[in-house]
Amino acid sequence: MKRLLLLSTLLLLAVACSKTTSENEEDTVTMSYRSKSEKIDFKVARNEYFVTGPAEVLRKVQEAENKERENGYRYLTATSGVIQEKVLIGTFNLRLREIKRLYPNLEHVEPVLLSTDGTRHLLQGGVLVKVLAGTDPAKLGEVTRRFNKVEKVAGEENIYLLTSGMNTQQIFEAITTLSRLKDVVWAEPNFTKLTNRFINPLPGTQSNTTP
């Protein structure tokens, strides 16, 4: 019943906006950030959403989504997973907002990003940054005050993990800002990478935390 209400709501919103989004239009949705030397682009997966939250909340999400359709939800960990929609109505951002409304106790609802080789990238508020020797990463300017935790990456020289509650777009904007600073060697998202849609994290990925 929840899914029927969701689809009805999306349909009404889509009609109200007088916009029909085709499959090809969805394929062109991208997100990007700028490193020191280049712009890094990702396509947004049309029908997948990376979600995190307490284990009990995700159990309820799994029950609801898998009741509606087979493989509607897949666990990554006890506190993270991927929702996969079968019926696409309206724009990606409209559907993402509706998932947040339907499951208000989720901590994060984020896009699944695709690189050109098909690898899926999931982001949960983290940035890896390498700074010049002697630089305090917590004092790089206004942008670092948006992060609530700074940790040195074990075994790495002058590389730190900055974490926050920011969403993917905000993280990309912060990375672009960090990359402009003279004391920053490089900055990049602390991605968890998947070799397929739901499982098999790549060995040696950037991720230093469990999503």
Side-chain angles (χ1 to χ4, degrees), residues 2-209:
K2 282 186 177 181
R3 182 62 58 188
L4 290 174
L5 291 173
L6 168 63
L7 293 177
S8 298
T9 301
L10 288 173
L11 182 59
L12 288 172
L13 288 170
V15 171
C17 292
S18 299
K19 177 177 176 64
T20 301
T21 304
S22 71
E23 183 169 326
N24 288 335
E25 286 177 322
E26 286 287 341
D27 283 342
T28 65
V29 176
T30 62
M31 297 182 72
S32 63
Y33 67 89
R34 184 166 289 280
S35 69
K36 283 285 188 181
S37 59
E38 63 181 331
K39 182 181 177 185
I40 311 298
D41 294 308
F42 297 91
K43 288 174 62 174
V44 175
R46 298 178 57 245
N47 64 333
E48 295 175 4
Y49 312 85
F50 173 51
V51 297
T52 69
E56 181 58 34
V57 170
L58 291 189
R59 279 195 290 271
K60 293 179 180 179
V61 172
Q62 182 195 36
E63 290 172 3
E65 293 297 319
N66 286 346
K67 185 177 180 180
E68 296 289 341
R69 64 203 175 281
E70 185 179 3
N71 297 330
Y73 178 88
R74 294 289 184 89
Y75 276 110
L76 294 173
T77 70
T79 57
S80 67
V82 173
I83 292 175
Q84 183 181 39
E85 295 281 359
K86 292 294 186 183
V87 179
L88 302 179
I89 298 176
T91 66
F92 173 86
N93 286 330
L94 187 65
R95 297 193 299 273
L96 185 144
R97 289 195 297 271
E98 189 62 19
I99 288 175
K100 291 181 179 179
R101 186 197 66 79
L102 192 59
Y103 303 116
N105 293 323
L106 288 171
E107 293 174 353
H108 295 271
V109 181
E110 298 294 332
V112 175
L113 306 178
L114 306 175
S115 56
T116 54
D117 65 358
T119 299
R120 279 161 165 73
H121 298 69
L122 312 176
L123 186 57
Q124 190 184 337
V127 172
L128 288 168
V129 58
K130 182 170 184 177
V131 298
L132 296 177
T135 300
D136 183 348
K139 298 179 180 179
L140 286 171
E142 180 67 29
V143 64
T144 55
R145 287 193 275 274
R146 302 176 66 186
F147 295 91
N148 50 36
K149 190 174 183 180
V150 177
E151 301 173 89
K152 190 175 188 308
V153 177
E156 299 289 346
E157 186 175 359
N158 300 323
I159 297 179
Y160 296 83
L161 173 64
L162 284 59
T163 55
S164 74
M166 290 188 284
N167 62 32
T168 299
Q169 183 60 48
Q170 291 168 331
I171 286 291
F172 278 11
E173 291 169 358
I175 290 172
T176 298
T177 300
L178 285 167
S179 296
R180 297 191 186 109
L181 302 179
K182 62 181 178 61
D183 292 326
V184 172
V185 179
W186 52 256
E188 59 188 31
N190 184 43
F191 282 128
T192 294
K193 299 179 184 179
L194 306 180
T195 55
N196 61 34
R197 294 190 180 186
F198 299 109
I199 57 175
N200 300 331
L202 286 170
T205 64
Q206 297 172 10
S207 182
N208 291 283
T209 58

